[in-house]
Amino acid sequence: MGMISEFKEFIARGNVVDLAVGVVIGAAFGKIVTALVDGIVMPVVGAATGGVSVSDWKYVISPAQLDAAGKEVVAEVAVKYGMFLQTVIDFVLIALVIFVFLKAYNRVRKPAEAAPAGPSEEVLLLRDIRDALRK
């Protein structure tokens, strides 16, 4: 079988197409949540913290050094934990929305009715023995 025909068979599988659709929708969903966090949640957090953007939060190890003209000679060395915190908030919100969505989906979806289980192999064997003893 040629490589092209194997590739066509691989792509034609339903689960590969479903996965591709899921990745595309997930990327779009991530952009929506990022817009929510950047446009709504973080400005509220920034207002609560005195107008400072969370992404600007940092711990300065050594400040920038300026010359007499005010030009930066040595760059500032800082741990920028604000961007990390904002990414963590993005992740928590995405996880929360997915959890709520799946919870609602599982509530709406009807569970598949299970077919009644047949008797076990032991029960069938005991029935055969009983029937043989009756004869």
Side-chain angles (χ1 to χ4, degrees):
M1 183 180 265
M3 187 171 183
I4 293 176
S5 60
E6 286 181 41
F7 181 71
K8 285 181 184 178
E9 182 182 332
F10 172 75
I11 292 298
R13 290 185 191 158
N15 55 359
V16 173
V17 174
D18 292 343
L19 178 63
V21 169
V23 168
V24 170
I25 289 175
F29 183 72
K31 288 181 182 179
I32 291 170
V33 173
T34 300
L36 171 74
V37 170
D38 291 344
I40 296 174
V41 175
M42 287 305 169
V44 172
V45 171
T49 60
V52 178
S53 173
V54 174
S55 61
D56 293 336
W57 291 357
K58 60 186 172 184
Y59 176 75
V60 179
I61 297 172
S62 66
Q65 295 178 2
L66 306 175
D67 62 6
K71 190 173 184 182
E72 186 176 4
V73 177
V74 178
E76 172 184 74
V77 178
V79 176
K80 298 179 180 181
Y81 62 90
M83 290 298 293
F84 175 74
L85 183 61
Q86 186 164 353
T87 304
V88 168
I89 292 171
D90 280 348
F91 173 76
V92 170
L93 285 176
I94 288 172
L96 176 68
V97 170
I98 289 173
F99 171 75
V100 170
F101 174 76
L102 288 176
K103 188 169 181 152
Y105 174 75
N106 287 333
R107 187 177 296 152
V108 170
R109 186 179 63 153
K110 294 180 183 177
E113 293 190 26
S120 67
E121 187 176 333
E122 292 86 13
V123 171
L124 293 174
L125 184 59
L126 288 171
R127 285 181 185 170
D128 290 342
I129 293 171
R130 178 194 66 197
D131 292 343
L133 289 174
R134 282 187 182 165
K135 292 180 183 178

